[in-house]
């Protein structure tokens, strides 16, 4: 990274950090570009130069959150001995992260906003593809080590991601213990199904 690129990244980070506090305090919809201008002391043109839009700026914060999540996961992944344990560990980390992350409420508003620019939709698609690829690797690892039966890994990765997204919305008003129990139950259903074994 050359000096100009480094300065650009530092400016983006400074703008993003100041904006983050506003999104946490006011929510996504109620935070305007004018609020961000006032909080950062930067011009509207400078903000648009670095992020193109309020959506782009918020997505930058979501990307940062994703990176933090990955770092936290990488730091503890070695504690899980099996793929099954990893999927339960994944559920636990998701609950604790979403329940405790200050941007959760603003992120809910952002993702339920109807209209988004094409480039934002594309970036969201890329982000979800990263999540699905993570799921694929987790499931494939379980198949390779003999824990899971051979199955359509792409389908299972999508089912797992869809389950996680649904749980995230449905557990929003639960106490952490309730949400954790729900996620664990969902993982159990994902891993074992609900069909009764026939004698």
């Amino acid at each position: 990274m050359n000096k100009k690129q480094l300065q650009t990244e530092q400016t983006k980070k400074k703008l993003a950090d100041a904006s983050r506090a506003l999104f946490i305090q006011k929510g996504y919809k109620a935070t305007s570009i004018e609020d961000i201008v006032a909080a950062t002391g930067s011009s509207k043109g400078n903000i648009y130069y670095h992020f193109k839009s309020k959506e782009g700026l918020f997505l930058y914060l979501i990307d940062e959150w994703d990176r933090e999540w990955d770092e936290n996961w990488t730091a503890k992944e070695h504690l899980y001995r099996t793929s099954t344990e990893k999927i339960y560990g994944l559920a636990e980390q998701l609950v604790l992260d979403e329940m405790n992350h200050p941007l959760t409420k603003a992120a809910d508003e952002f993702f339920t906003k109807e209209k988004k620019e094409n480039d934002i939709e594309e970036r969201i698609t890329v982000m979800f593809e990263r999540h699905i690829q993570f799921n694929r690797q987790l499931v494939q690892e379980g198949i390779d080590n003999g824990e899971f039966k051979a199955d359509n890994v792409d389908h299972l990765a999508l089912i797992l991601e869809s389950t996680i997204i649904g749980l995230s919305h449905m557990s929003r008003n639960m106490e952490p213990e309730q949400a954790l129990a729900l996620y664990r139950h969902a993982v159990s259903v994902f891993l074992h199904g609900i069909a009764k074994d026939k004698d």
Side-chain angles (χ1 to χ4, degrees), residues 23-167:
F23 287 126
I24 291 166
Q25 181 191 348
K26 300 181 73 170
Y28 177 76
K29 289 177 186 169
T31 300
S32 66
I33 284 291
E34 287 71 25
D35 293 330
I36 294 167
V37 165
T40 60
S42 187
S43 69
K44 195 182 284 191
N46 193 35
I47 292 165
Y48 285 140
Y49 171 77
H50 288 290
F51 297 104
K52 292 189 181 175
S53 64
K54 182 176 94 166
E55 287 179 318
L57 195 163
F58 192 77
L59 203 51
Y60 178 89
L61 294 173
I62 295 288
D63 282 338
E64 277 196 331
W65 181 1
D66 250 8
R67 280 193 297 276
E68 287 166 19
W69 194 95
D70 284 340
E71 284 168 15
N72 291 336
W73 174 259
T74 302
K76 65 197 283 193
E77 187 181 7
H78 70 280
L79 301 172
Y80 305 114
R81 293 170 296 125
T82 65
S83 298
T84 300
E85 284 182 9
K86 283 181 185 178
I87 292 180
Y88 279 105
L90 166 68
E92 186 172 318
Q93 183 167 320
L94 286 167
V95 172
L96 297 175
D97 186 56
E98 286 201 3
M99 292 280 178
N100 296 313
H101 200 283
L103 275 175
T104 295
K105 186 171 176 286
D108 284 347
E109 288 181 57
F110 175 78
F111 285 113
T112 54
K113 183 175 176 277
E114 293 91 16
K115 181 110 176 78
K116 292 181 179 68
E117 296 299 320
N118 286 342
D119 64 320
I120 297 295
E121 288 286 7
E122 284 166 21
R123 284 174 63 191
I124 291 170
T125 300
V126 168
M127 184 185 74
F128 278 115
E129 183 50 45
R130 279 201 315 265
H131 296 178
I132 292 161
Q133 182 56 32
F134 174 90
N135 296 346
R136 272 194 205 103
Q137 289 170 348
L138 210 49
V139 171
Q140 188 64 58
E141 182 186 293
I143 291 170
D144 292 345
N145 67 26
E147 281 180 74
F148 309 151
K149 67 179 182 182
D151 206 333
N152 187 317
V153 175
D154 289 336
H155 285 183
L156 292 175
L158 283 168
I159 291 166
L160 182 55
E161 188 62 20
S162 302
T163 302
I164 288 166
I165 291 168
L167 288 169

